[in-house]
Amino acid sequence: MNFYELSVKDIKNFINNVSVENYTKYIPSLAQDERQSIKQLVKTLKKRHNDYLAEQKRVEKLWYYENQLIRSGQEIIAGIDEAGRGPLAGPVVAAAVILPGNTFIEGINDSKKVSIKKREVLFETINNQALGIGVGIVDNHTIDKINILNATKKAMLQAIKNLPISPQHLLIDAVKLADIHIKQTSIVQGDSKSISIAAASIVAKVTRDRIMDAYHDKYPQYRFITHKGYGTKEHYHHIQCYGLTPIHRKSFLKNIMGDRTNED
């Protein structure tokens, strides 16, 4: 393409439709352009491309555990993670995600390290690319009965059961599951070390956040849409003002509220 015949505006419009991995096709030609705005554009494109290559390497490292299993003949690997162990209200949600081998998902990471907007984008990407996704949800009443750790394991088992295909191996974030006849590996901080667990953390987090957003519509005075049920100063203030809702975890709050609830 002869960029000399194009205006700066036309060149920028053209580049806006080029994927980052293809920048190298056009950077050499653009670099010969003497216009200062194009020289600045070339610097920008080089930086974007270098950042993209660095991201590819970062994501490639997240395949370490999966690739070890693939080399041993276990190709259907499910990453398992949860969201909502710590909140004072709402369910704990677990997700199981099976990805195709060596899939590149730009920006994939532990959900806690990703912005709300980016999590939504990643959620859609994961849903489009995954071979299978399963979700398990355990409500606050069950959490109060069996404790949060057992409720988390219960949600994880549900998520595995809800997968459309059976995994050969499970990679689980810091939890070991009993009563399941599938090989498993527990990885401490797995959501930042395994791409499958990271994907599961995104799915679990977005799913739970949407549940809490729906509860905001039902109990707007508690502002679940802002804190998602976690123990923020705002949330504690609303509990003191209005009491507990039917979705609060009494076992997490008995020292503060006793058994007083708001059933409206």
Side-chain angles (χ1 to χ4, degrees):
M1 174 173 287
N2 188 356
F3 288 111
Y4 296 106
E5 298 177 356
L6 298 178
S7 68
V8 172
K9 181 180 179 180
D10 287 339
I11 290 173
K12 288 183 176 179
N13 287 337
F14 174 80
I15 290 297
N16 285 338
N17 293 311
V18 174
S19 58
V20 177
E21 61 265 34
N22 289 323
Y23 281 177
T24 51
K25 294 180 181 179
Y26 305 104
I27 286 175
S29 296
L30 288 169
Q32 297 176 29
D33 197 306
E34 294 300 321
R35 287 173 286 185
Q36 288 301 314
S37 55
I38 300 303
K39 288 183 178 180
Q40 184 58 48
L41 176 63
V42 169
K43 290 181 181 179
T44 300
L45 297 182
K46 285 181 177 179
K47 184 180 185 307
R48 286 180 187 170
H49 189 257
N50 287 336
D51 289 346
Y52 178 78
L53 293 178
E55 176 65 3
Q56 279 189 316
K57 289 182 179 180
R58 185 190 70 82
V59 173
E60 185 178 328
K61 290 180 181 178
L62 291 177
W63 276 97
Y64 173 78
Y65 289 97
E66 286 82 355
N67 284 337
Q68 280 193 322
L69 292 168
I70 289 170
R71 284 192 289 270
S72 71
Q74 301 175 75
E75 297 184 355
I76 306 175
I77 302 155
I80 320 290
D81 201 5
E82 53 72 31
R85 288 183 69 169
L88 309 178
V92 61
V93 176
V97 177
I98 301 172
L99 295 173
N102 291 311
T103 300
F104 174 63
I105 301 177
E106 187 173 2
I108 188 75
N109 210 331
D110 169 8
S111 63
K112 296 185 290 297
K113 299 178 181 178
V114 180
S115 69
I116 295 173
K117 184 176 180 180
K118 183 63 176 178
R119 281 200 299 263
E120 291 287 344
V121 173
L122 288 169
F123 180 85
E124 297 303 323
T125 301
I126 293 163
N127 271 275
N128 289 334
Q129 296 194 23
L131 297 176
I133 293 175
V135 172
I137 302 171
V138 173
D139 65 23
N140 58 297
H141 302 295
T142 304
I143 292 170
D144 285 338
K145 289 178 182 177
I146 66 175
N147 76 46
I148 187 59
L149 178 58
N150 287 326
T152 297
K153 292 179 178 180
K154 183 179 179 70
M156 288 180 170
L157 289 169
Q158 286 180 6
I160 297 163
K161 183 178 179 181
N162 289 332
L163 282 167
I165 54 177
S166 297
Q168 296 170 299
H169 201 103
L170 309 174
L171 295 177
I172 311 174
D173 185 38
V175 173
K176 198 80 171 178
L177 297 176
D179 302 322
I180 189 166
H181 303 295
I182 302 174
K183 294 178 180 179
Q184 60 182 288
T185 302
S186 176
I187 304 171
V188 176
Q189 296 182 337
D191 44 12
S192 61
K193 298 176 181 177
S194 156
I195 190 169
S196 301
I197 298 177
S201 78
I202 296 290
V203 173
K205 177 62 175 171
V206 172
T207 300
R208 187 181 186 280
D209 282 357
R210 291 178 179 180
I211 291 171
M212 297 310 296
D213 289 349
Y215 279 131
H216 171 79
D217 294 336
K218 189 171 183 179
Y219 308 108
Q221 68 271 37
Y222 291 87
R223 299 294 299 165
F224 288 125
I225 198 167
T226 61
H227 52 70
K228 313 302 183 189
Y230 282 87
T232 63
K233 184 177 180 180
E234 176 191 27
H235 190 187
Y236 276 113
H237 173 72
H238 292 146
I239 291 171
Q240 293 289 351
C241 290
Y242 307 113
L244 303 184
T245 68
I247 69 162
H248 276 99
R249 303 173 182 178
K250 292 184 184 180
S251 58
F252 282 42
L253 289 157
K254 58 187 177 183
N255 292 334
I256 299 173
M257 300 299 299
D259 292 328
R260 184 159 64 92
T261 62
N262 177 4
E263 296 294 340
D264 295 333

